[in-house]
Amino acid sequence: MTSKTPENDDSKVMHLSSDYGLWLGASTSDMLGRSLCNIALPYVIVSLTGSTSRAGLVETVGMVAYLAVTLFGGVVVDRIDRRRGMYARGLSGGILWLVLALLLVSGMLRLWHIFVIVVAIRVLDGLFGMADNAALRSIVTDDVAFTRAVSINQARNAVVRIGGGPLGGFLYGIVHALPFFVASVLLALLALLARLIRVNLRPPQPSEHDESQDPGQPSEQSSQGDDRTARATRAESSGQVRRVFTDIADGCRFIWNEPAMRASVLILMLVNTGFAFTLNSASYHLIRSGYSAFQLSLMEAAYAVLLIIGSALASRFLQRLRAGRVLLVAFVAMFGVSAASAVNHAYVALLVWLALYGLVFPFVASVIQGYTFSTTPGALQGRVNSVLAISELLLTAFVPAVTGALVQQGYATPSFGLGALIAGLAVLALVASRSLRTLGKPSQWHADPPSNDGDDA
C-alpha cells in the first residue's frame, strides 16, 4: 500500500510537467500564428488601398470589437471548461484566416472582407482568448513557480517574435497569402494540443468547497449541495444579462479592493498606450518609406533578442528585488526609449531603441502578471484578466488609426512624440502610487500586502 504512494506522486508530477509542455506548445502555436498575420496584414491592406490610414483603421476597428466583448469573455472563461475555450479560439481563428488566404489567392479580396474577418477574429479572441492564461493557473498552482513560469513565457514570447516576424515577412515575400495559410494550420494545432492536456481545466466551483465543509451530515449536505448545484446550473444556462453583469462586477470589485492592482489599471493603460504610439508610428513610418515586410520584421526580431535576455534576467533576479523599485526603473527606461524614438526614427535607430525596450519589458510583465495571477482566486481568473486587458487596451485600440493618419499626412515625428509624452505620464502615475511603488518581493505578496493609504483611490 505504501509503495504505491510515491509511484502515484511521481506519476502526477510527470503528468503536470507534460501538461505544461502541451500548454506551452498550444499557446506558442497561437502566438506564432498571430505574429505571421500581424506582419503581413498591414502590407496586404496598403497594397490593396495604398493608405497606411486604412491599415490603421482596420486595426482600430478590430481592437474596438475586441474590447466590446472582453469583459463578457472573462465571464465565459470563468464558466466553461477552459479547454473548450481553447478549442473555440483555435478552430474559429484557423477557419477565418484560411478564408482570407483563399480570397487573397483568388484575387477576390476586398477591404470590406478584411474588416469582416478581422472583426470576427477579434470578437472570438475577446470571448475565448483568455482561456489559455486561465488554464495555466490550473496547471501551475504554486505562486513562486507561477511567477517563474511567467518569466519563462516571456522568453518564449521573445523566441516566437525572433522567428515569427522574419518568417512572416519571408513567407509574404514568396506568396502574399502564405502567412495566413500557415497561421490557419497553427491555430488548428492549438486545438489539438489543448485536447491532449490531462489536467482538469474547469474553473473551481465554490459549491464543491461548501459541500466538503461538514462531513458529519452527509445526506443533508448532499441534498443542500444538489440544490445549490441545480440553482447554479439554472443560472448559468439562463444566460440572463443581469447575472453576466453581476459576474463582471465581481471581477471589478476584487481589483478595486487590491490597491496595487487598482493602481495598475491606470498605469498599464498609460504604459501600453505610450509604447503603442512608438511601435505603430515605427511600423507605418517604415511601410510608407518603402521598407519591405522582411525589413520591418527584423525590427521586431531585434526587440525579441533583447526580450530573451531581459526575460532571463527577470527570472533570475526578480525574486531578490523589490518589485516596486523594479517597476520604477523600468518605466523611466521606457520613457527614455520613447523620447529617443521621437528624436531619431531612422531605420537603424529604431532597431536600437525597440531592442532596448525589449530588454526592460519582461521585468514589468513578470511583476504585473505574476502579482495578478498569484493573488487572484482561481474562480476569478478570467474576469480579473479581462478587466486588466480592458485597461491595457482601452486607449491603445485607437492608436493605430491615429498613428496611421498622422504618418499618412507626413507627421511621423509628432506621432512618436505622443508616445514619449504618454510614457512620461506613466512614470508620474507610478511615483504617485504608494501601493505599486512599495510593492515588495514576490515572496512577500501574500504575507505583506501593500498599504492602502488613499493615494490609489
Side-chain angles (χ1 to χ4, degrees):
M1 183 112 179
T2 55
S3 62
K4 293 182 180 181
T5 304
E7 220 175 279
N8 292 337
D9 289 345
D10 290 344
S11 176
K12 184 177 180 182
V13 169
M14 286 179 62
H15 290 171
L16 288 173
S17 177
S18 64
D19 284 335
Y20 177 71
L22 290 168
W23 178 91
L24 199 61
S27 59
T28 300
S29 298
D30 187 16
M31 283 196 64
L32 182 56
R34 291 173 195 254
S35 184
L36 298 180
C37 295
N38 287 343
I39 199 70
L41 190 60
Y43 280 91
V44 170
I45 298 170
V46 171
S47 68
L48 211 60
T49 66
S51 171
T52 59
S53 180
R54 297 286 178 87
L57 184 60
V58 169
E59 187 172 350
T60 288
V61 169
M63 291 298 292
V64 170
Y66 174 83
L67 291 174
V69 300
T70 296
L71 287 177
F72 300 99
V75 175
V76 170
V77 167
D78 282 340
R79 287 186 173 186
I80 66 171
D81 187 334
R82 276 82 187 248
R83 193 189 316 273
R84 293 183 181 178
M86 294 170 74
Y87 290 161
R89 161 76 186 126
L91 296 176
S92 62
I95 291 170
L96 288 165
W97 285 127
L98 179 61
V99 169
L100 189 146
L102 293 173
L103 288 171
L104 186 56
V105 166
S106 66
M108 298 172 60
L109 185 66
R110 299 293 180 267
L111 185 61
W112 73 267
H113 293 146
I114 298 176
F115 270 108
V116 171
I117 291 171
V118 168
V119 167
I121 286 175
R122 287 296 193 175
V123 166
L124 290 163
D125 195 17
L127 291 175
F128 304 109
M130 289 170 289
D132 57 346
N133 280 340
L136 178 59
R137 194 55 171 149
S138 299
I139 297 170
V140 183
T141 56
D142 179 74
D143 287 350
V144 174
F146 189 87
T147 304
R148 289 176 180 168
V150 171
S151 296
I152 292 172
N153 293 346
Q154 292 297 320
R156 180 277 314 270
N157 296 352
V159 171
V160 171
R161 284 177 179 241
I162 289 174
L167 178 60
F170 175 72
L171 294 175
Y172 181 82
I174 298 174
V175 176
H176 289 357
L178 198 52
F180 306 104
F181 279 121
V182 175
S184 179
V185 174
L186 288 169
L187 285 168
L189 181 61
L190 159 66
L192 174 62
L193 293 176
R195 174 68 180 85
L196 298 176
I197 294 174
R198 303 185 188 187
V199 168
N200 182 2
L201 299 182
R202 296 183 183 90
Q205 297 297 325
S207 59
E208 294 175 8
H209 174 73
D210 295 339
E211 288 173 17
S212 65
Q213 285 182 346
D214 187 5
Q217 299 179 5
S219 60
E220 181 180 353
Q221 289 297 99
S222 176
S223 173
Q224 291 175 356
D226 289 343
D227 289 342
R228 283 194 295 269
T229 302
R231 286 197 298 271
T233 302
R234 285 195 297 270
E236 290 175 6
S237 62
S238 67
Q240 296 176 359
V241 174
R242 186 180 200 180
R243 173 62 179 163
V244 169
F245 280 98
T246 299
D247 286 350
I248 291 173
D250 289 341
C252 295
R253 191 177 301 111
F254 178 82
I255 291 175
W256 184 257
N257 290 332
E258 289 285 333
M261 216 175 288
R262 186 171 71 231
S264 70
V265 169
L266 171 63
I267 293 172
L268 281 175
M269 187 185 301
L270 293 171
V271 166
N272 283 280
T273 303
F275 181 59
F277 265 101
T278 299
L279 184 59
N280 281 276
S281 298
S283 297
Y284 295 137
H285 171 62
L286 294 177
I287 290 173
R288 193 167 183 269
S289 300
Y291 288 88
S292 69
F294 184 74
Q295 288 173 307
L296 185 62
S297 69
L298 292 180
M299 186 176 65
E300 186 173 1
Y303 165 83
V305 168
L306 271 292
L307 194 68
I308 289 180
I309 298 174
S311 298
L313 294 174
S315 178
R316 181 173 182 180
F317 295 112
L318 193 57
Q319 303 296 327
R320 311 174 193 175
L321 303 172
R322 295 189 63 83
R325 294 175 184 174
V326 170
L327 288 178
L328 185 58
V329 172
F331 280 21
V332 170
M334 288 175 175
F335 167 71
V337 167
S338 298
S341 300
V343 173
N344 185 354
H345 35 269
Y347 178 73
V348 175
L350 288 174
L351 285 174
V352 175
W353 306 144
L354 294 179
L356 292 176
Y357 195 99
L359 183 66
V360 175
F361 180 75
F363 288 89
V364 176
S366 295
V367 170
I368 299 295
Q369 292 181 26
Y371 180 80
T372 298
F373 279 97
S374 67
T375 56
T376 302
L380 288 173
Q381 290 282 342
R383 278 164 283 181
V384 168
N385 200 25
S386 67
V387 173
L388 291 178
I390 288 285
S391 72
E392 291 180 32
L393 301 175
L394 190 60
L395 297 179
T396 306
F398 301 96
V399 171
V402 174
T403 55
L406 287 172
V407 172
Q408 183 69 24
Q409 297 300 319
Y411 298 117
T413 298
S415 187
F416 280 102
L418 284 172
L421 174 63
I422 296 171
L425 292 176
V427 174
L428 295 178
L430 179 62
V431 170
S433 169
R434 172 177 287 188
S435 59
L436 273 182
R437 195 181 67 248
T438 61
L439 196 63
K441 301 175 184 178
S443 59
Q444 301 173 320
W445 287 346
H446 285 292
D448 186 23
S451 146
N452 182 5
D453 285 347
D455 54 337
D456 299 311

